């Protein structure tokens, strides 16, 4: 039981470590997204400067940039949804494990109550048996003393 509890604790620790690593990855990913957003803004400023020189080129670059941004946003959203789904799945696993452990604990508590009741019953049986034995010994002692007294009376006569 202790080993299983240790295994569960180790599993929970491992899952916690995985969650922390995933959160770190998500933070890194968000930082990268912010950097890319800053890069995009800088690119747009460059496009504005080039607009006077080449309106047609600006239109082409702007369309390409918007498509790339939309694609990138879609990938970001998809990765975030996947990450959230994975976290929710792990939360469900942890919850199920907690429920299983609670049920196991309840079962052990019920077994402990049964064990205590059985011990109490056996102690009462042993106490009754000891009383019967003591009464038997007392009666035997009385008979022995009466017999000794009778023998002593017979020897005196």
């Amino acid at each position: 039981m202790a080993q299983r509890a240790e295994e569960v604790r180790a599993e929970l620790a491992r899952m916690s470590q995985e969650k922390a690593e995933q959160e770190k990855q998500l933070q890194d990913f968000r930082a990268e997204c912010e950097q890319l957003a800053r890069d995009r803004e800088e690119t747009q400023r460059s496009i504005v400067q080039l607009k006077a020189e080449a309106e047609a080129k600006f239109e082409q670059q702007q369309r390409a940039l918007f498509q790339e941004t939309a694609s990138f946003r879609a990938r970001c959203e998809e990765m975030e949804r996947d990450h959230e789904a994975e976290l929710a799945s792990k939360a469900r696993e942890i919850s199920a494990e907690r429920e299983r452990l609670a049920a196991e604990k309840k079962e052990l508590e019920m077994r402990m109550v049964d064990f205590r009741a059985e011990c109490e019953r056996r102690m009462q049986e042993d106490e009754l048996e000891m009383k019967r034995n003591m009464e038997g010994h007392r009666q035997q002692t009385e008979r022995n003393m009466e017999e000794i007294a009778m023998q002593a009376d017979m020897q005196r006569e």
Side-chain angles (χ1 to χ4, degrees), residues 12-36:
L12 288 175
R14 184 189 62 75
M15 291 168 75
S16 177
Q17 179 66 30
E18 286 178 5
K19 180 181 175 187
E21 291 171 6
Q22 290 172 352
E23 288 175 350
K24 174 71 170 104
Q25 289 173 354
L26 182 60
Q27 287 176 349
D28 292 345
F29 181 72
R30 284 182 178 154
E32 182 180 338
C33 288
E34 290 172 3
Q35 181 61 45
L36 286 171

Side-chain angles (χ1 to χ4, degrees), residues 9-157:
R9 280 193 284 276
E11 180 65 17
L12 288 175
R14 184 189 62 75
M15 291 168 75
S16 177
Q17 179 66 30
E18 286 178 5
K19 180 181 175 187
E21 291 171 6
Q22 290 172 352
E23 288 175 350
K24 174 71 170 104
Q25 289 173 354
L26 182 60
Q27 287 176 349
D28 292 345
F29 181 72
R30 284 182 178 154
E32 182 180 338
C33 288
E34 290 172 3
Q35 181 61 45
L36 286 171
R38 287 190 294 271
D39 292 347
R40 191 190 92 202
E41 289 172 7
E42 185 178 327
T43 301
Q44 286 178 336
R45 281 192 297 275
S46 296
I47 290 172
V48 169
Q49 291 173 357
L50 295 173
K51 185 175 182 182
E53 298 172 10
E55 185 68 32
K57 186 175 182 181
F58 169 75
E59 294 292 329
Q60 179 186 9
Q61 287 178 344
Q62 189 177 33
R63 281 191 299 273
L65 182 61
F66 285 140
Q67 288 174 350
E68 183 180 331
T69 301
S71 175
F72 182 75
R73 272 194 192 130
R75 286 194 315 269
C76 288
E77 290 169 359
E78 181 181 351
M79 289 176 74
E80 192 166 348
R81 281 192 305 271
D82 290 349
H83 180 70
E84 288 173 1
E86 187 175 339
L87 290 176
S89 173
K90 291 202 183 294
R92 286 190 299 273
E93 289 174 14
I94 289 170
S95 178
E97 183 65 14
R98 283 184 182 150
E99 288 175 15
R100 187 192 66 73
L101 288 173
E104 192 173 309
K105 178 184 176 187
K106 187 174 182 176
E107 170 67 22
L108 287 173
E109 287 170 349
M110 289 173 30
R111 287 173 55 194
M112 182 61 81
V113 168
D114 292 346
F115 176 75
R116 285 183 181 148
E118 178 66 16
C119 286
E120 183 65 29
R121 184 189 62 77
R122 286 184 181 180
M123 283 174 48
Q124 289 174 356
E125 287 176 0
D126 289 348
E127 189 175 324
L128 284 174
E129 179 68 24
M130 188 172 70
K131 285 180 181 178
R132 281 195 295 266
N133 288 341
M134 286 175 63
E135 181 61 25
H137 287 302
R138 187 191 61 74
Q139 289 175 0
Q140 183 63 42
T141 301
E142 283 179 7
R143 283 193 298 272
N144 289 346
M145 288 179 68
E146 286 173 6
E147 189 176 314
I148 291 171
M150 282 177 33
Q151 287 176 0
D153 286 346
M154 286 173 37
Q155 284 181 356
R156 273 186 247 147
E157 292 176 5

